[in-house]
Every structure is written in C-alpha cells, then in structure tokens.
C-alpha cells in the first residue's frame, strides 16, 4: 500500500477529530513509556523492511481509524499519527518540532537525530527504544520502591488525624489538671494534636505547593543556589532521580554518536540544542572545557555524573580515549543508575518507617502515662 493511497483514507481524520481525544493522545505519547517503546520498535521494523516512516504512519492511521475490539472504538493515537504524517509529507524530518520533536523526551529525540545524522534511521529508532526502555525500568523500580513509603505516609497522616480528632479530645476529658502538669509524653501528644488541628491543612497545602515547585524546578533550576541544587541532584529525590535518568540518557546518546564517527564536541552541541535549561548548563560547561583543550575525562566533572560514573569515565579515557569511554560507559552505568534510584527510595521508606514508629510510640506512651496519672490521682484522693 502506498502512502498516497493510504492518505486518501486518512484525509478526513483531521476534519472529524475530537479535540479532547487529540489532546489525550498527545499526553499518551508524551507520558506513556510503553507506548513509545512500541512505536519505536514498529517503526524500526518498518524501516528494516524498506518501508518509509510516512508509509508506515499511513498504514497505522488506517488501522487506528477503524473501530476495533469489544467496544468498537477507534484508537485516539490516530490523531498523533495523522499530525506526524502531514508534517512529513510537507518535507519535515521526524525529529522536527512540527512532527515528533515536541512529543518525545529530549533523550529519545537525540537518539533519533543520531540516526538521521548517520543515515541509519532504523538504528536511531533502536537506540531511542533502548533509552525509553531504560526510563521504563527506572520508573518501574521507582514505583515498586515508593509503594512502601507511600503506604507509610498515608498511615502517618491517618495517625495524625486520629491524634488531632480522637486522642486529643479524649485526653482532655480524662482529667481536669492543666496540661502543664501532665507527664512529658502526654503533653507532647496533646500539643501535637492541637497543632495538627490548627495547622494541619496549612502544612498540607504548603507540602503540595513544595511538591509542585520541586517538579517544576527539575529542568529549570539553573541560577539560584547552584551549590544547593548540586547537593539535591546527588542526594535528594526527586532531583537525584532526575539527574540519574538524564545523565544516563546523555551518556548513551553521546556514546552512540561518537561510535557513528560524530566528533565529541559536535555531539555535545547537538544535544545542547534540544536539552532542558538544566542540562544545557552542564553540557555547555563540558563543551567549553573540551574545546579549550582540558582533560577530556575531567571536563565532565560538572555535577551531572555520579562519582563512580565520573571515575569510570576518567579511567577509560586515560586508557583508551574519550570516544571509547563514552561508547562503553553509558550503557554499562544504566544498572548502577537503577540501583541508585532504588537505594534512594529505600532511604525514603526507612525514614517513613521511623516517623510512623515514633508516632505509634508517642500515642501509646502519651495515653498510658496520662492514664497512670489519672489513676494515681484517683487513688490519692
């Protein structure tokens, strides 16, 4: 089936499209790693069988535009494929912002650009699939590791609510003595109950704002408090997780391009052109050091790489040259990055467990000590 013939069947999709469905499809390709892995694998196989990307997209549009499955529904991805197909027909490259460049993560776009620059688009899709699969494995490891801390956090919130609205009033009704005369743990428990009632919603709102600002800052925090950002990048989630992923993606992309005979400085410049402001800050420093003739391995000492990865890169650079080092280190450090992501989540789980245990001890100790005080007072008088 030719793209021209297929386009006849897809011409009416844009006119009859649902804006909501189209937006959901765009979000799906941006956020679903599984969807992107499947896409790269299919397009790679099409190219290996001498089918062009626009012909492949035309075939995929025909398929997704036909009602299928139990509910006879059409796949919303047809809107994304249609937009890409039209742009390609206008002479755009697949990695251009008008095509898939705006929908795919920078690390994966870099790999596709590498395939274009080396006249091996199929290899570019294979490398993009590899990077996306790394992301999927990192996300999977992170989600599995964060389930436990998340459960503990919910338990902690439940305990705080119980302290505020059950144990606090119950303690007050047990005795007429002023709170200042209560045992130490009882006073702590009651004070926590009152503070939770007074400031709980405020603290919760601030926590949500901090979470939103933290996520927003990941690709954008480049100027204020750089030493603080560097510390967070190495030790504090989510910044440490963000650094691990981007560092691994960058090394994999650089390794693939230098293996394809692209000079290191040119490869870095290409990555800078589509990177986030945070990544650009690191890579511009690396590029300036390399171009002025600094030691290639030490040029990467910007805070982007983990200490072990940086050491590995330096050693391999001295032994075999930077091109060889980049070709080897990127893929070999993926497992280490995933391990560090899991380790960070384990630390969060440990802290959560400590806080929950402290709350349980405080509840038990505060109620027991107050009960003993009331019992002694009744015996005395």
């Amino acid at each position: 089936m030719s793209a021209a013939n297929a386009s006849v069947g897809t011409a009416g999709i844009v006119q009859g499209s649902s804006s909501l469905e189209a937006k959901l499809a765009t979000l799906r390709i941006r956020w679903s790693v599984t969807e992107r892995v499947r896409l790269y694998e299919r397009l790679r196989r099409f190219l290996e069988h001498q089918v062009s990307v626009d012909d492949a997209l035309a075939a995929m549009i025909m398929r997704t535009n036909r009602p299928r499955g139990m509910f006879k529904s059409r796949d919303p991805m047809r809107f994304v494929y249609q937009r890409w197909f039209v742009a390609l027909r206008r002479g755009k490259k697949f990695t251009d912002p008008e095509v898939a460049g705006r929908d795919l993560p920078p690390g994966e776009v870099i790999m596709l650009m590498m395939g274009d620059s080396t006249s091996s688009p199929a290899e570019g899709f294979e490398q993009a699939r590899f990077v996306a699969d790394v992301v999927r494995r990192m996300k999977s490891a992170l989600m599995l590791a964060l389930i436990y801390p998340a459960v503990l956090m919910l338990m902690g919130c439940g305990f705080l609510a119980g302290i505020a609205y059950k144990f606090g009033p119950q303690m007050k009704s047990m005795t007429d003595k002023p709170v200042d005369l209560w045992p130490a743990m009882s006073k702590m428990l009651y004070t926590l109950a009152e503070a939770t009632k007074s400031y709980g919603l405020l603290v919760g709102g601030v926590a949500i704002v901090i979470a939103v600002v933290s996520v927003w800052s990941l690709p954008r925090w480049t100027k204020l408090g750089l030493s603080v950002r560097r510390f967070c990048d190495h030790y504090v989630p989510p910044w440490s997780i963000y650094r691990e992923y981007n560092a691994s993606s960058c090394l994999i992309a650089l390794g693939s391009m230098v293996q394809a005979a692209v000079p290191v400085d040119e490869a870095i410049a290409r990555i800078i052109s589509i990177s986030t402001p945070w990544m650009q800050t690191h890579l511009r420093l690396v590029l300036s050091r390399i171009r002025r003739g600094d030691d290639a391995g030490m040029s990467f000492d910007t805070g982007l790489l983990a200490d072990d990865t940086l050491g590995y890169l330096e050693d391999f650079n001295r032994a075999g040259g930077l091109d060889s080092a980049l070709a080897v280190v990127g893929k070999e450090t993926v497992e280490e990055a995933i391990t560090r992501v899991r380790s960070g989540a384990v630390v969060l789980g440990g802290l959560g467990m400590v806080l929950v245990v402290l709350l349980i001890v405080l509840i038990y100790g505060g109620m027991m000590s107050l009960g003993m005080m009331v019992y002694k007072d009744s015996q005395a008088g």
Side-chain angles (χ1 to χ4, degrees):
M1 176 182 62
S2 69
N5 292 334
S7 63
V8 173
T10 61
I13 291 179
V14 173
Q15 288 80 356
S17 68
S18 160
S19 60
L20 177 59
E21 272 193 300
K23 290 178 181 177
L24 290 176
T26 299
L27 290 175
R28 179 170 152 188
I29 196 65
R30 288 178 183 173
W31 294 103
S32 173
V33 183
T34 301
E35 187 70 38
R36 296 200 304 276
V37 168
R38 186 185 302 119
L39 172 70
Y40 299 145
E41 181 65 23
R42 286 177 177 171
L43 292 179
R44 179 184 67 83
R45 291 186 181 278
F46 273 119
L47 289 172
E48 288 177 345
H49 287 81
Q50 311 305 314
V51 179
S52 66
V53 173
D54 53 346
D55 278 354
L57 288 173
M60 294 160 68
I61 293 169
M62 293 288 287
R63 170 179 56 82
T64 53
N65 196 41
R66 187 175 73 252
R68 297 166 61 90
M70 181 185 301
F71 300 103
K72 298 301 180 185
S73 59
R74 294 185 294 174
D75 191 335
M77 287 302 298
R78 67 189 185 278
F79 300 122
V80 175
Y81 300 153
Q82 172 76 11
R83 174 162 52 83
W84 292 354
F85 174 82
V86 171
L88 287 174
R89 277 291 174 169
R90 292 172 180 165
K92 301 294 184 180
K93 291 184 177 180
F94 186 77
T95 52
D96 286 347
E98 295 89 340
V99 194
R102 75 176 190 181
D103 299 319
L104 307 176
E108 295 163 31
V109 174
I110 289 168
M111 308 313 294
L112 298 174
M113 292 174 65
M114 180 273 296
D116 289 340
S117 66
T118 59
S119 300
S120 180
E123 178 63 19
F125 281 112
E126 173 59 23
Q127 293 297 329
R129 186 205 62 78
F130 175 79
V131 173
D133 194 54
V134 169
V135 177
R136 179 168 61 180
R137 291 171 61 199
M138 280 190 171
K139 284 185 176 180
S140 177
L142 184 63
M143 291 302 296
L144 289 174
L146 287 182
I147 287 175
Y148 181 57
V151 171
L152 291 175
M153 183 179 71
L154 291 175
M155 288 176 60
C157 292
F159 282 135
L160 287 174
I163 290 171
Y165 297 103
K166 180 179 179 181
F167 294 109
Q170 185 177 352
M171 293 172 75
K172 195 66 175 174
S173 67
M174 289 172 63
T175 178
D176 294 330
K177 268 190 174 182
V179 176
D180 291 341
L181 300 179
W182 290 7
M185 289 192 72
S186 301
K187 286 194 290 186
M188 289 176 59
L189 182 60
Y190 186 77
T191 301
L192 180 60
E194 291 299 299
T196 301
K197 282 199 294 186
S198 300
Y199 305 107
L201 291 178
L202 176 62
V203 171
V206 170
I208 292 173
V209 170
I210 290 174
V212 172
V213 171
S214 298
V215 173
W216 180 88
S217 74
L218 292 175
R220 299 176 179 86
W221 181 5
T222 60
K223 295 180 180 179
L224 181 64
L226 292 182
S227 59
V228 177
R229 174 65 198 255
R230 184 164 182 170
F231 175 83
C232 292
D233 282 342
H234 283 264
Y235 302 108
V236 183
W239 296 278
S240 60
I241 297 169
Y242 182 79
R243 181 192 60 77
E244 289 284 6
Y245 161 61
N246 282 277
S248 298
S249 300
C250 179
L251 285 177
I252 292 168
L254 284 174
S256 298
M257 282 192 276
V258 297
Q259 279 186 306
V262 178
V264 173
D265 59 342
E266 183 181 337
I268 294 174
R270 290 185 187 180
I271 296 175
I272 289 174
S273 68
I274 61 168
S275 294
T276 63
W278 174 84
M279 179 64 84
Q280 289 177 355
T281 300
H282 287 280
L283 292 182
R284 284 183 178 135
L285 181 56
V286 173
L287 184 59
S288 65
R289 290 173 176 175
I290 288 177
R291 284 180 171 172
R292 73 178 179 225
D294 289 0
D295 176 82
M298 292 299 295
S299 297
F300 283 84
D301 187 9
T302 67
L304 175 64
L305 306 180
D307 291 341
D308 290 344
T309 304
L310 181 62
Y312 189 12
L313 187 64
E314 291 178 23
D315 293 344
F316 216 103
N317 171 58
R318 293 190 181 97
L322 186 60
D323 290 7
S324 300
L326 290 172
V328 171
V329 172
K331 293 184 179 180
E332 290 196 2
T333 55
V334 167
E335 294 298 334
E336 295 178 9
I338 292 173
T339 299
R340 283 191 289 267
V341 168
R342 287 174 176 162
S343 298
V346 168
V347 171
L348 289 178
L351 290 174
M353 174 57 77
V354 169
L355 291 175
V356 168
V357 169
L358 287 176
L359 282 175
I360 293 173
V361 170
L362 182 61
I363 293 171
Y364 181 79
M367 294 300 293
M368 286 293 294
S369 57
L370 185 63
M372 291 296 294
M373 183 196 77
V374 171
Y375 175 75
K376 290 179 180 179
D377 289 345
S378 66
Q379 292 296 313

